[in-house]
């Protein structure tokens, strides 16, 4: 029996789980209050803090880390130029050195994907028999050459998206269709704080928007694609700094910028109370997501097995109904609210351990 610890780190939470083969044994979401994190500015401080939290949880459930076969880590902070294929990466000494060189202990912490591998190294405590695996990091770049063309040779479209959850859902859909993932043609829509809409074809994500750098639809706290000339002028004229402009794109834009909240449940409550402006912003989000789905439909030449919704916002019947009104004539709809990242990490590691799938190979420079 393979015993796999999953580490799925976010900005303010640490989701952990243990799987015995395909079966979930224990799980927990460790929420970190803002007061706890207030003085933990650096990567090193976050690593020490979260390692302690995970070790405390392991003691609570009376599980000895020495029993582990593997640790599956979300993100991994793999250099984007090396993440040319989806799948599972075995973190050997070479990849480990690249990851550890890609951030510094004293660097300012911004997201859990940066520190997952150092925490996994701490937890295995020198026992190299416990393998570390990263499945479908957010920097996976499988875009078709034509999709990388941005409009000027000085620029290139580079994706950052919810690769782990998107591919976990796509594999689930393929299994339900009695197909392999490689045989399906899907549009997967991750509806979370950021929204990514991916085209899955031939076992690859051949087109998808970048959820962190001003691409795709507006989201609860992401601006999506802003009018470029207006953004350039704002920075050039000193109306905002480069850092402020980047914040507008990544965490300070979208619904939050318009309505002061990125909690879409509160937005729906505002609409119910008669707030017409909140209704307009909500409708704009639906409009932009549907338009992105439509563009993905053309990428697949109109031959789509299914449109698949996932992510936390997919729990909203109001949102799904509104999206379906615009796109359900394009393809059958599949609905998987929530996230399947823990499952994706565990099963990705398990496939490699069993030899059902080869780990992604990275050539040494």
């Amino acid at each position: 029996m393979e015993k796999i610890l999953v580490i799925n780190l976010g900005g303010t939470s640490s989701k952990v789980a243990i799987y015995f083969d395909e079966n979930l044994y224990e799980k927990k979401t460790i929420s970190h209050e803002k007061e706890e994190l207030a003085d933990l500015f650096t990567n090193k401080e976050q690593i020490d803090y979260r390692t302690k939290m995970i070790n405390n949880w392991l003691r609570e459930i009376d599980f000895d880390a020495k029993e582990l076969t593997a640790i599956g880590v979300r993100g991994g902070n793999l250099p984007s130029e090396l993440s040319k294929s989806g799948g599972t990466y075995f973190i050997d000494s070479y990849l480990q050195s690249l990851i550890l060189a890609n951030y510094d202990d004293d660097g300012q912490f911004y997201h859990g994907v940066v520190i997952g591998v150092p925490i996994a190294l701490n937890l295995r405590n020198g026992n190299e028999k416990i393998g570390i695996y990263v499945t479908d990091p957010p920097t996976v770049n499988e875009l078709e050459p034509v999709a990388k063309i941005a409009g000027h040779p000085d620029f290139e479209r580079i994706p950052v998206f919810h690769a782990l959850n998107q591919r976990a859902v796509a594999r689930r859909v393929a299994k339900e269709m009695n197909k392999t993932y490689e045989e399906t043609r899907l549009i997967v829509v991750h509806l979370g704080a950021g929204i990514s809409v991916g085209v899955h074809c031939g076992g690859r994500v051949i087109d998808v928007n970048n959820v962190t750098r001003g691409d795709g639809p507006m989201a609860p706290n992401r601006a999506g694609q802003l009018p470029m000339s207006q953004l350039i002028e704002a920075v050039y004229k000193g109306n905002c700094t480069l850092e402020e402009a980047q914040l507008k794109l990544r965490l300070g834009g979208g619904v939050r910028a318009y309505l002061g909240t990125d909690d879409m449940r509160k937005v729906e409550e505002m609409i119910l109370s008669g707030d017409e402006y909140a209704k307009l912003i909500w409708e704009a989000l639906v409009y932009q997501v549907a338009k992105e789905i439509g563009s993905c439909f053309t990428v697949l030449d109109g031959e789509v097995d299914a449109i698949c919704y996932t992510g936390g916002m997919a729990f909203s019947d109001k949102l799904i109904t509104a999206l379906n009104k615009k796109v359900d004539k394009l393809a059958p709809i599949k609905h998987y609210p929530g996230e399947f990242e823990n499952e994706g990490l565990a099963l990705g590691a398990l496939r490699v351990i069993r030899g059902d799938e080869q780990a992604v190979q990275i050539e040494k420079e």
Side-chain angles (χ1 to χ4, degrees), residues 340-360:
F340 300 87
E341 293 173 340
N342 287 354
E343 174 186 299
L345 290 171
L347 296 184
L350 188 62
R351 287 192 298 271
V352 171
I353 292 168
R354 289 176 169 174
D356 298 333
E357 180 181 298
Q358 292 294 313
V360 179

Side-chain angles (χ1 to χ4, degrees), residues 177-237:
M177 292 181 168
N178 293 316
K179 293 184 176 183
T180 65
Y181 173 50
E182 291 73 18
E183 292 172 331
T184 57
R185 299 167 65 88
L186 305 170
I187 298 171
V188 183
V189 186
H190 179 101
L191 298 162
I195 295 174
S196 61
V197 186
V199 180
H200 296 243
C201 181
R204 297 186 299 125
V205 184
I206 62 173
D207 202 349
V208 67
N209 61 294
N210 187 319
V211 297
T212 66
R213 295 295 179 180
D215 192 15
M218 178 175 72
N221 63 25
R222 318 285 167 87
Q225 188 168 345
L226 294 176
M228 187 181 300
S229 63
Q230 293 179 37
L231 182 62
I232 293 171
E233 287 174 11
V235 175
Y236 182 75
K237 292 179 178 179

Side-chain angles (χ1 to χ4, degrees), residues 112-141:
V113 296
V114 176
I115 59 174
V117 169
I119 288 176
L121 290 169
N122 285 349
L123 292 171
R124 80 174 183 182
N125 196 27
N127 184 358
E128 296 190 4
K129 291 182 179 180
I130 302 173
I132 299 175
Y133 299 85
V134 172
T135 299
D136 295 322
T139 51
V140 165
N141 187 348

Side-chain angles (χ1 to χ4, degrees), residues 32-256:
H32 309 299
E33 299 299 329
K34 290 182 179 180
E35 292 77 11
E36 292 179 277
L37 301 179
D39 297 323
L40 303 174
F41 295 113
T42 68
N43 290 322
K44 179 67 165 57
E45 290 168 332
Q46 287 277 340
I47 289 167
D48 292 344
Y49 168 74
R50 297 203 193 206
T51 299
K52 181 180 178 180
M53 294 295 102
I54 295 171
N55 272 324
N56 287 344
W57 174 67
L58 291 174
R59 282 193 288 271
E60 284 175 15
I61 64 173
D62 196 26
F63 185 89
D64 189 344
K66 294 177 183 178
E67 298 179 32
L68 291 171
T69 306
I71 302 175
V73 182
R74 177 188 172 208
N77 205 28
L78 283 167
S80 58
E81 63 273 15
L82 297 181
S83 308
K84 296 180 181 179
S85 174
T88 298
Y89 294 70
F90 172 66
I91 307 303
D92 57 15
S93 58
Y94 176 63
L95 272 184
Q96 179 181 316
S97 67
L98 291 178
I99 290 168
L100 295 181
N102 208 28
Y103 81 100
D104 64 273
D105 281 347
D106 295 325
Q108 185 173 350
F109 172 81
Y110 74 93
H111 198 281
V113 296
V114 176
I115 59 174
V117 169
I119 288 176
L121 290 169
N122 285 349
L123 292 171
R124 80 174 183 182
N125 196 27
N127 184 358
E128 296 190 4
K129 291 182 179 180
I130 302 173
I132 299 175
Y133 299 85
V134 172
T135 299
D136 295 322
T139 51
V140 165
N141 187 348
E142 302 172 321
L143 266 59
E144 289 284 286
V146 70
K148 295 179 181 180
I149 303 299
H152 189 284
D154 286 350
F155 304 91
E156 180 179 308
R157 290 189 66 234
I158 299 173
V160 176
F161 69 109
H162 307 91
L164 178 59
N165 194 48
Q166 281 211 19
R167 287 171 69 108
V169 167
R171 287 182 178 277
R172 179 174 287 220
V173 172
K175 186 175 182 180
E176 290 179 4
M177 292 181 168
N178 293 316
K179 293 184 176 183
T180 65
Y181 173 50
E182 291 73 18
E183 292 172 331
T184 57
R185 299 167 65 88
L186 305 170
I187 298 171
V188 183
V189 186
H190 179 101
L191 298 162
I195 295 174
S196 61
V197 186
V199 180
H200 296 243
C201 181
R204 297 186 299 125
V205 184
I206 62 173
D207 202 349
V208 67
N209 61 294
N210 187 319
V211 297
T212 66
R213 295 295 179 180
D215 192 15
M218 178 175 72
N221 63 25
R222 318 285 167 87
Q225 188 168 345
L226 294 176
M228 187 181 300
S229 63
Q230 293 179 37
L231 182 62
I232 293 171
E233 287 174 11
V235 175
Y236 182 75
K237 292 179 178 179
N239 294 335
C240 68
T241 66
L242 176 61
E243 290 74 19
E244 289 170 342
Q246 290 175 334
L247 183 62
K248 289 178 188 293
L249 295 176
R250 188 161 63 91
L251 291 175
V255 174
R256 174 189 285 178

